[in-house]
Amino acid sequence: MSAQIIDGKAFAAKVRGQVAEHVTRIKEENGITPGLAVVLVGEDPASQVYVRSKGKQTVEAGMNSYEHKLDADTSQDDLLKLIADLNADKDVHGILVQLPLPKHLNEDLVINSIAPEKDVDGFHISNVGLLGTGQKSMVPCTPLGCLMMLRDYHGSLSGMNAVVIGRSNIVGKPMAQLLLGDSCTVTITHSRTKDLPAVVRGADIVVAAVGRPEMVPGDWIKPGATVIDVGINRIDKPEGGTRLVGDVDYASCADVAGAITPVPGGVGPMTIACLLANTVTACCRIHGLVEPEGLTA
Ligand code: NDP
């Protein structure tokens, strides 16, 4: 293996430390405690784990955490009423509705009912538009975490060829916008892309957000390229049990790449750290306070 490992776990700890420092300052100087409300509808086990982890890390960073757990059959009107209450609540600076929602609820409508300045997931259509036009916005947590790691490793990304594999609204598209904002030449690829290996071979930066275990082999990677693996896939181990793997084949890619994020311990921890960063950023913007440096795009 020749690639340098980009340690997302350590980086996330550093980001959480910066958030906690800023929270302390806001509390002492302004008497304000940033607050994050997380709304979970139903009992999806993976979502429950994420929500618990988000709540714990929010409190550890010195912020208030408000969890709202609703039954799986909660009506759209009741959910919208809760969001309206949270929008009006002065103690709440960030609102996150855990996705996916049960099928009878309209996800777009729900997300777009969150006040844009409290939309710490960055999925509200206003924030999507602001990001797309290069204006100050709330930035989706996973791509923001990827960008922070890339900036930390490379310094400037200007002029680099970046290939994003995947065009989802939560990862692929905002990732491409962020890379474009940092003056990369960006190609977005997807399931209909012709000759994906050739496209990826031209990349100085590869961001894989596909949801297919170990899909990208080392021989697609340009020697020395930086590989950011967003994928989280649980696969069966031959000896029984399961393990997590990314969207790239770690062993063969690490042989060729200049730097690579592992799974687990890469993008995953950065996502929650960026949620905390977005909450403190939202709090600062709402109250007209100085924003923490280096914690947004
Ligand atoms: P989606 O399923 O929404 O999007 C997957 C994208 O991959 C689509 O654009 C799809 O193309 C594309 N794709 C599928 N198959 C291929 C293929 N064979 N070749 C090229 N492109 C392909 O997934 P998400 O963006 O939500 O998530 C992607 C991965 O990232 C998942 O493993 C998920 O678990 C993980 N994830 C990790 C997070 C973290 O915190 N680390 C946070 C969010 C997601 P098309 O549009 O044409 O169908």
Side-chain angles (χ1 to χ4, degrees):
M1 194 192 88
S2 63
Q4 180 171 328
I5 296 170
I6 300 178
D7 185 346
K9 207 170 157 190
F11 199 129
K14 189 173 139 198
V15 170
R16 289 198 304 272
Q18 287 171 277
V19 169
E21 257 175 47
H22 210 80
V23 168
T24 303
R25 197 171 323 146
I26 294 172
K27 281 181 175 172
E28 285 174 4
E29 292 176 8
N30 308 97
I32 297 165
T33 303
L36 172 66
V38 177
V39 179
L40 173 64
V41 186
E43 268 134 40
D44 177 62
S47 294
Q48 284 179 329
V49 172
Y50 289 138
V51 167
R52 243 195 326 272
S53 181
K54 286 168 184 171
K56 184 169 167 275
Q57 294 192 32
T58 302
V59 171
E60 281 169 3
M63 301 192 274
N64 288 327
S65 166
Y66 308 99
E67 278 182 25
H68 295 269
K69 292 187 177 160
L70 307 181
D71 293 337
D73 61 358
T74 297
S75 72
Q76 178 120 315
D77 282 352
D78 284 348
L79 180 55
L80 292 179
K81 166 82 176 60
L82 171 62
I83 293 173
D85 290 346
L86 296 172
N87 284 342
D89 188 335
K90 295 205 166 10
D91 293 332
V92 171
H93 304 96
I95 302 170
L96 180 149
V97 176
Q98 184 66 43
L99 302 178
L101 288 171
K103 295 232 174 322
H104 68 283
L105 298 170
N106 180 334
E107 245 170 48
D108 287 340
L109 191 68
V110 169
I111 296 304
N112 289 327
S113 72
I114 298 171
E117 67 276 15
K118 295 189 179 186
D119 168 38
V120 282
D121 253 342
F123 297 159
H124 189 289
I125 194 72
S126 297
N127 283 315
V128 175
L130 289 167
L131 178 63
T133 49
Q135 300 179 69
K136 199 188 235 188
S137 64
M138 296 308 301
V139 178
C141 303
T142 300
L144 177 58
C146 297
L147 182 75
M148 281 186 190
M149 290 192 285
L150 285 166
R151 282 179 176 169
D152 183 66
Y153 182 73
H154 284 288
S156 169
L157 308 181
S158 182
M160 296 179 84
N161 285 332
V163 171
V164 180
I165 315 178
R167 57 174 163 180
S168 72
N169 290 335
I170 63 167
V171 189
K173 284 181 196 154
M175 185 76 246
Q177 294 287 4
L178 289 171
L179 291 165
L180 196 57
D182 271 29
S183 299
C184 291
T185 302
V186 184
T187 306
I188 308 178
T189 65
H190 45 78
S191 65
R192 309 294 173 89
T193 297
K194 287 186 182 149
D195 201 355
L196 183 60
V199 178
V200 175
R201 279 186 197 113
D204 305 309
I205 293 170
V206 180
V207 180
V210 191
R212 289 179 177 258
E214 301 175 318
M215 187 190 90
V216 179
D219 69 359
W220 291 16
I221 303 298
K222 178 161 106 176
T226 300
V227 177
I228 304 289
D229 191 352
V230 180
I232 302 177
N233 310 288
R234 191 166 285 286
I235 61 165
D236 293 330
K237 288 197 281 193
E239 67 272 26
T242 61
R243 66 187 180 101
L244 288 183
V245 296
D247 288 341
V248 312
D249 176 43
Y250 184 79
S252 62
C253 288
D255 272 345
V256 189
I260 188 166
T261 59
V263 177
V267 175
M270 283 301 288
T271 295
I272 299 188
C274 286
L275 173 66
L276 307 182
N278 277 351
T279 304
V280 78
T281 297
C283 176
C284 291
R285 288 181 186 171
I286 288 168
H287 290 284
L289 309 176
V290 178
E291 290 177 33
E293 260 176 54
L295 294 184
T296 192

